[in-house]
Amino acid sequence: MATAIRDIPSAPTVSPRATAARLRARRRAHNRRTAVVTAVLAVFLLGFTTASVLLGGVAHIAAADVLPAALGLRTGLADYLIFQLRMPRALAALLSGALFGLAGALYQRIVRNPLATPDIVGISAGAGAGAATVLLLAPAAFTSGPPLAALAGAFTLLGAVYALSHRGGVDTYRLVLVGIGLSAVCTAYTNYLFTIADQNDLAVVMRWLIGSTNGADWQGVRTLALGLAGCLVCTALLYRPLSGMALGDQLATGLGTRVRPARAAALLVGAAAAALATSVVGPIGFVSLISGPIAGRLVGGERALALAPLVGAVLVVGADVLAQNAPLISPVPTGVLTALLGAPYFVWLILRRRHGAVS
Amino acid sequence: MTTTSPPVATSPPPARTRFSRGAACMVLAAVAVAATLIASIGLGSRHISPLDIVHILLHPNGDLYNSHVLWTERIPRTFLGLLVGAALGASGLIMQALTMNPLSEPGLLGIEQGAALAVVVGILYLGVTDLQGYFWMALTGAALSAVLVYLIGTRTNTGSSTIGLILAGVALAAVMSSLITLMVVRDDAAYAHLRFWSVGQLTGRAAVLDDVLPFAAAGLLLALPLGRTLNVLSLGDETARGLGVPVERARLAAAAVAVLLCAAATAATGPVAFVGLVAPHCARMLAGPDHRWSLPLSMALGAVLLTGADTAGRLVIDHGEIQVGVMTAAVGTPFFVWLARRRNLVRV
């Protein structure tokens, strides 16, 4: 017996050096994959953005006029269309998509449920209600009011949803249900404002119901760019605590992460990201829901959070190009297309997902 | 498992008590309906003194402006509100009983969006222009989306069909409202019409009353005898089968009545959320778990809720009014949140 045992080949002794080498190799492979995916997404983003500027919407500019105008060499109609209409629009789509993607990925990470994104939890509806209030009832504050009002609406709703779904801990599904309820009342309110709106304001206000990049201007692009920069910096600061929290609250606390402040900060950053994007382009539906899982499928694990904004940007700019140029249906609000894309995925998600699983 | 009603087995009160309690509730409900009726006819953004109103009611005279307002707008509108509210209340109660789901509600489950989608398809592609046509389109759309939501909602893995149904409803409502936008966004006339339809209101719908009446009345009459069936079904399929009830057929019949009521209501006023949620719960709280009492009570409470909300919406602001759909959302949301917070609802 004893010899028999000795004959069994012993488990391969793993030298620490070999383990480290294997881990390094895996990390390198992961890095390579991340780099390739990022590069491909960046190419898509560049392509869609260029297409958005070159193709534009209804008005067609001769191709010969586009390039000089884009380089600022010619003035006139082409110049106006490129610089005042198409470029802000394309950039607003890009930046808002990134913000939605970031917000969704943050929420999915914190609540550990792919369903708990800002639009499902009702933050987009709150932001839309805030922005619509200022636009329709206090048009004097038009220039700088909507983003601030959207932030206020989003934070109010976040607080209300969190407080109302808190009952000896926050259950994800209760959070989602309360969010659905509160967003119903916000949507009803926005709808009401919409019916008393002046016919001339309708095109502007419509964005707060469906989500559209139509009519985005440089002011909005500036807001979005500053917001995205701020939110990305905050996310970078939160990256380490969030990684710790992936191990579970207790272990993270043991490792020295201050879990509660980190979670609260992440919730606020996510709400701010969703609110800023909503304040400029309206609630473009389901982008925050699908960006995180797509990023997770592409690179997996920790890095999904960093990649989600890029995925969101590609989605919204792509949807925007389609919304302007697709045959038969264009022009439509961008949010219509993202909802048509995202809602079936949402259904698939609730059909496929095992209860309690962490995505 | 969440049950819509407290278990019937636990200490059933004596039959006579139940009867008198149910009867007392019905009397109170009848008083409330009468009070709402009077308030809705008597109050509005245009002030008409009570004496004038009595005079106008006794001596209809189309020439006077006040009389015109009363007979062509306020009175039909009031009856439409009562009818639609009763239909929504009954529809909500039947749906909740059938799905054993306290959050089932025509508006939340996306059924009203399905009706709206069908109406838009009818307007744009089938040349439907009259209200009868709208009604049949809404009925078809409501039935199709009810089946779809039910199929998806009961197959979810969310751990509870209660939440699965709601999530499926929200997702389908998003898809359907996108499709609606896709179709109407370039058609200004259709859009202008839909913008007001999609809020849910009774303003200017007085003409619809005649068209909806037969369908809603038929639905309500068909619903009234369902109380016993619902009682048996709520004992569970096995028990019901043991009692000799053809379960599948009974379910199908009750569901058909619920969809008919919901479609009639939606075709008349556009989507009005939360009436079908609040009225049945209040009815059960008042009358207890017996559906023979809670069903008519739910109709009465739905009528009071919708007409009351409409009347209040006319009075809160000076010029113009707040649509009834907005008012019911404001009333219904706290109720929904309260239900969602109940511990036994969310099974973890």
Side-chain angles (χ1 to χ4, degrees):
Chain A
M1 284 304 276
T3 49
I5 287 174
R6 220 175 289 136
D7 285 346
I8 294 173
S10 59
T13 49
V14 186
S15 72
R17 188 173 300 176
T19 314
R22 227 177 41 241
L23 280 177
R24 262 203 307 277
R26 256 175 64 184
R27 182 171 299 163
R28 260 203 302 278
H30 198 168
N31 281 344
R32 247 198 319 276
R33 188 183 164 85
T34 310
V36 169
V37 166
T38 311
V40 170
L41 283 176
V43 168
F44 268 107
L45 187 60
L46 200 67
F48 283 145
T49 314
T50 316
S52 181
V53 173
L54 290 187
L55 294 173
V58 199
H60 287 285
I61 312 174
D65 288 347
V66 168
L67 263 183
L71 297 172
L73 296 178
R74 198 176 291 188
T75 54
L77 183 64
D79 184 65
Y80 172 77
L81 282 171
I82 296 285
F83 272 102
Q84 297 309 315
L85 295 181
R86 292 183 183 178
M87 274 168 99
R89 177 175 185 152
L91 287 177
L94 192 158
L95 294 167
S96 62
L99 280 167
F100 279 127
L102 178 68
L106 269 176
Y107 270 59
Q108 286 164 335
R109 172 67 75 80
I110 305 160
V111 187
R112 295 197 199 166
N113 189 316
L115 296 176
T117 56
D119 44 358
I120 303 291
V121 172
I123 288 170
S124 304
T133 307
V134 168
L135 270 178
L136 289 171
L137 302 183
F142 203 92
T143 45
S144 65
L148 291 179
L151 275 180
F155 285 142
T156 310
L157 208 87
L158 173 68
V161 168
Y162 203 79
L164 286 173
S165 52
H166 195 93
R167 181 160 177 173
V170 171
D171 173 84
T172 310
Y173 284 115
R174 198 183 300 129
L175 193 77
V176 171
L177 279 180
V178 170
I180 287 173
L182 290 188
S183 53
V185 80
C186 284
T187 310
Y189 169 74
T190 315
N191 266 321
Y192 163 69
L193 288 182
F194 202 46
T195 58
I196 61 167
D198 208 42
Q199 194 73 31
N200 297 329
D201 294 341
L202 281 185
V204 184
V205 184
M206 179 135 163
R207 277 192 276 164
W208 275 271
L209 286 183
I210 306 162
S212 166
T213 50
N214 194 10
D217 53 6
W218 284 111
Q219 170 96 26
V221 170
R222 235 184 332 266
T223 309
L224 288 174
L226 288 175
L228 182 62
C231 289
L232 283 176
V233 168
C234 292
T235 310
L237 291 176
L238 286 168
Y239 201 76
R240 192 178 280 269
L242 284 179
S243 305
M245 279 153 68
L247 301 170
D249 286 0
Q250 285 190 336
L251 200 50
T253 311
L255 289 171
T257 305
R258 290 167 62 210
V259 171
R260 278 164 158 264
R263 183 180 291 136
L267 281 172
L268 287 179
V269 172
L276 280 168
T278 307
S279 78
V280 177
V281 298
I284 293 187
F286 294 100
V287 173
S288 56
L289 179 80
I290 54 180
S291 299
I294 290 179
R297 192 60 64 81
L298 288 176
V299 294
E302 295 289 292
R303 301 175 187 197
L305 185 59
L307 200 68
L310 192 54
V311 174
V314 171
L315 283 174
V316 176
V317 179
D320 197 37
V321 173
L322 262 186
Q324 291 180 87
N325 297 295
L328 296 178
I329 56 165
S330 68
V332 289
T334 313
V336 168
L337 292 186
T338 59
L340 282 180
L341 191 76
Y345 171 76
F346 181 76
V347 169
W348 181 82
L349 203 64
I350 56 178
L351 287 177
R352 278 292 302 276
R353 202 176 145 269
R354 277 200 305 279
H355 181 57
V358 179
S359 147
Chain B
M1 188 60 228
T2 50
T3 48
T4 45
S5 47
V8 183
T10 51
S11 69
R16 259 173 68 203
T17 318
R18 175 76 55 78
F19 176 80
S20 51
R21 182 175 163 195
C25 287
M26 281 314 295
V27 171
L28 277 178
V31 172
V33 169
T36 324
L37 181 76
I38 293 169
S40 175
I41 292 179
L43 302 171
S45 51
R46 178 182 177 81
H47 182 75
I48 308 175
S49 78
L51 269 178
D52 280 355
I53 286 174
V54 173
H55 183 77
I56 290 169
L57 288 178
L58 292 177
H59 309 281
N61 176 4
D63 299 338
L64 294 168
Y65 187 68
N66 277 351
S67 175
H68 187 75
V69 166
L70 215 60
W71 280 103
T72 60
E73 180 62 33
R74 264 197 219 165
I75 292 176
R77 174 183 187 160
T78 301
F79 282 104
L80 185 67
L82 292 175
L83 198 64
V84 168
L88 286 173
S91 176
L93 186 86
I94 296 173
M95 281 185 192
Q96 289 172 16
L98 284 182
T99 58
M100 303 229 184
N101 181 340
L103 295 181
S104 284
E105 202 260 344
L108 281 174
L109 291 187
I111 295 171
E112 289 178 345
Q113 288 294 342
L117 178 62
V119 169
V120 172
V121 168
I123 295 174
L124 287 181
Y125 299 110
L126 303 177
V128 178
T129 47
D130 57 331
L131 288 162
Q132 290 274 321
Y134 285 2
F135 179 81
W136 287 108
M137 294 310 298
L139 187 69
T140 316
L144 286 178
S145 52
V147 171
L148 201 58
V149 168
Y150 184 76
L151 285 180
I152 295 176
T154 49
R155 278 162 181 70
T156 55
N157 280 316
T158 47
S160 140
S161 69
T162 310
I163 292 151
L165 270 176
I166 297 292
L167 293 180
V170 168
L172 279 177
V175 172
M176 291 188 291
S177 60
S178 290
L179 287 173
I180 292 174
T181 314
L182 208 56
M183 288 191 283
V184 302
V185 77
R186 272 161 304 143
D187 191 329
D188 282 348
Y191 181 65
H193 182 72
L194 194 79
R195 179 160 72 95
F196 283 95
W197 194 78
S198 65
V199 185
Q201 60 177 352
L202 293 165
T203 321
R205 304 282 166 101
V208 191
L209 184 58
D210 292 340
D211 296 291
V212 177
L213 187 61
F215 298 103
L220 290 174
L221 288 179
L222 286 172
L224 275 177
L226 282 176
R228 219 182 75 84
T229 316
L230 292 180
N231 279 350
V232 178
L233 285 178
S234 64
L235 298 174
D237 285 2
E238 291 300 310
T239 319
R241 219 169 265 129
L243 289 170
V245 174
V247 171
E248 303 304 326
R249 210 188 309 161
R251 276 182 173 278
L252 202 63
V257 172
V259 171
L260 173 70
L261 284 168
C262 163
T266 308
T269 58
V272 175
F274 292 112
V275 174
L277 182 80
V278 177
H281 279 281
C282 295
R284 265 193 303 267
M285 275 180 229
L286 290 171
D290 189 342
H291 290 96
R292 282 173 300 178
W293 286 113
S294 60
L295 190 60
L297 194 61
S298 176
M299 292 179 191
L301 290 178
V304 169
L305 190 63
L306 191 71
T307 317
D310 183 46
T311 312
R314 277 181 253 160
L315 300 176
V316 261
I317 45 178
D318 279 345
H319 304 288
E321 59 180 83
I322 296 182
Q323 289 80 8
V324 67
V326 179
M327 294 298 288
T328 57
V331 177
T333 300
F335 197 85
F336 179 85
V337 168
W338 175 70
L339 281 176
R341 273 176 61 80
R342 289 200 309 190
R343 191 173 293 279
N344 62 353
L345 181 70
V346 179
R347 270 201 320 162
V348 189

